[in-house]
Amino acid sequence: MTLPNELKAATLAAQAGGVIDLPSGGVTPPIQPSTTFVRDEDYALVNPDNIYSRDNSDIVRITENVLARLEGAEEALLFPSGMAAIAALFRTLPNGASIVVQSGIYWGTTKWLRDFSARRNMTLHEVEASDPAALAKACSDHTPGIVFIETPSNPWLKTVDIAHAARCAHDAGALLAVDSTAATPVLQKPLELGADIVMHSATKGINGHSDVLAGVLATSAPAAQAWIDIKADRHDAGAVLGPFEAWLLLRGMRTLPLRVERMSANALKIATWLKAHPKVADVYYPGLESHPGHEVATAQMQGGFGCLLSFLVEGGAPEALTVVGKLKLFHRATSLGSVESLVEHRHTIEPHTGIPESLIRVSVGIEDADDLIADLAQALD
């Protein structure tokens, strides 16, 4: 079944892109676990689209198509994790290339880029990309092959003007890649703002149920050489997603707009409450008017500001850990974007990255916001 192009995200996601199982009439797309596909007596493929499952999987293609349509992209590629997607992107650069990357983003990305750049004799320039002038200067001075930003960033919730970043990158002859994980395709469309490639850790909000590892890259320029190289790298290196994981991911995506709407509303209510609490020193959430990136976030995020927020408690590590330890509804676990609320003391996880000892990162779920606020209140008090 083909769905019209003008459908809203909620309809497109709920309908799984219009795919049903025609042989059975089932409204849920089927899983085909086979890794290889048969040929007939004349050695012709029974299904010309399927030879071997590294690149050939019906459910993976279905899921990629839905992701591309949600993102406003021409094409999307699934990977077994967000970091696998990032690795495929940067492996398109030659040895000795220059890279400009936003500072203070997800530590896993920063660490991998530092190690990868050292191995490949690349020059990595980390810049405060939420400062437009600093980003422009870095792109002009260093002529990078790729400019990589993350907005909103994790865990600082800094926002970067994507359209400005695209102009800076393109003026320098670079590609702009945007990690839009915290926003999901529901709230932010980097490609429409000039980005060349958008990346998500689909493990997070896109799946939304803490049961799938996956990553995705999407582009509006599938004929570009960089995208051709990414596709070749995924095939040759075997960084592919299995059919069961793709099926789970598609199932999670069917409620993506609904979940994101609820989580964003909850997060804004909680951030507003935390901002007024006497034992909270500061709150980082782009939905707050006091946030330095609020104006940029309001301009480029539609329908909410996401589920992720961080706050500083008065005191240091002992006070923060006491609060985290007293929470009853927030699971003390690493991740974000799922239906259940999660809390993390980031300094315990990353003591060497400059994270304040008093910082608590929260991923707000779909629970009742008043219940979550009551839990925070008893923990802070």
Side-chain angles (χ1 to χ4, degrees):
M1 180 172 66
T2 302
L3 295 180
N5 289 328
E6 65 274 10
L7 290 177
K8 300 292 192 297
T11 305
L12 176 65
Q15 294 279 336
V19 176
I20 60 173
D21 183 26
L22 290 175
S24 69
V27 299
T28 301
I31 305 172
Q32 173 49 263
S34 182
T35 56
T36 190
F37 300 89
V38 73
R39 297 173 181 267
D40 64 16
E41 294 85 349
D42 298 319
Y43 213 68
L45 288 164
V46 173
N47 182 342
D49 290 330
N50 294 335
I51 300 174
Y52 186 72
S53 65
R54 185 185 296 176
D55 265 357
N56 303 146
S57 168
D58 291 341
I59 191 62
V60 170
R61 283 193 293 264
I62 290 167
T63 307
E64 289 174 337
N65 179 64
V66 174
L67 280 165
R69 293 187 65 178
L70 288 172
E71 197 63 67
E74 290 294 322
E75 193 165 296
L77 293 173
L78 281 170
F79 294 82
S81 70
M83 287 309 305
I86 288 173
L89 168 66
F90 282 97
R91 281 199 295 260
T92 63
L93 293 174
N95 289 351
S98 176
I99 301 167
V100 168
V101 61
Q102 179 182 343
S103 60
I105 59 174
Y106 168 58
W107 172 245
T109 301
T110 300
K111 181 182 183 304
W112 184 85
L113 279 173
R114 289 176 181 175
D115 293 344
F116 179 72
S117 297
R119 291 195 303 271
R120 296 278 298 272
N121 195 32
M122 293 176 171
T123 306
L124 180 65
H125 307 277
E126 298 179 40
V127 60
E128 180 50 77
S130 61
D131 180 341
L135 180 60
K137 187 177 188 304
C139 292
S140 176
D141 289 351
H142 303 302
T143 57
I146 291 175
V147 176
F148 188 87
I149 63 173
E150 177 187 275
T151 184
S153 69
N154 170 20
W156 293 103
L157 280 302
K158 292 184 178 181
T159 56
V160 180
D161 185 330
I162 296 171
H164 170 75
R167 290 191 296 270
C168 293
H170 297 159
D171 287 348
L175 296 177
L176 176 67
V178 179
D179 182 341
S180 193
T181 296
T184 79
V186 175
L187 301 180
Q188 185 170 269
K189 299 285 197 299
L191 298 177
E192 294 180 1
L193 296 170
D196 300 288
I197 293 174
V198 60
M199 172 268 167
H200 294 272
S201 171
T203 306
K204 312 302 193 301
I206 289 176
N207 174 57
H209 292 82
S210 298
D211 56 11
V212 174
L213 279 174
V216 63
L217 297 176
T219 188
S220 294
Q225 187 59 51
W227 190 254
I228 293 170
D229 292 344
I230 288 169
K231 293 178 74 171
D233 184 89
R234 185 182 74 155
H235 174 272
D236 295 348
V240 297
L241 193 66
F244 182 62
E245 289 79 10
W247 184 87
L248 279 175
L249 185 60
L250 182 63
R251 185 186 66 171
M253 286 163 52
R254 296 180 81 153
T255 60
L256 174 61
L258 190 65
R259 289 186 282 105
V260 169
E261 179 182 355
R262 176 61 173 266
M263 289 189 291
S264 295
N266 280 357
L268 180 57
K269 188 172 183 179
I270 290 169
T272 302
W273 180 86
L274 284 168
K275 188 71 176 176
H277 197 283
K279 292 186 179 179
V280 173
D282 205 354
V283 181
Y284 305 134
Y285 186 66
L288 295 175
E289 291 185 7
S290 59
H291 188 276
H294 176 70
E295 186 176 341
V296 170
T298 300
Q300 66 189 23
M301 298 179 75
Q302 307 299 318
F305 300 93
C307 70
L308 190 66
L309 64 91
S310 295
F311 67 98
L312 304 178
V313 298
E314 293 286 358
E319 289 78 10
L321 286 167
T322 296
V323 172
V324 169
K326 290 173 65 178
L327 289 167
K328 306 300 183 185
L329 296 180
F330 292 81
H331 296 297
R332 290 171 287 277
T334 296
S335 198
L336 62 98
S338 288
V339 292
E340 69 280 352
S341 291
L342 305 177
V343 66
E344 186 171 57
H345 182 241
R346 291 303 297 170
H347 189 268
T348 297
I349 306 300
E350 300 170 3
H352 53 290
T353 62
I355 298 294
E357 293 184 0
S358 62
L359 186 141
I360 297 173
R361 192 190 74 177
V362 177
S363 173
V364 180
I366 64 170
E367 303 95 338
D368 186 279
D370 290 335
D371 287 340
L372 296 174
I373 288 172
D375 192 30
L376 285 164
Q378 65 82 22
L380 284 163
D381 294 340

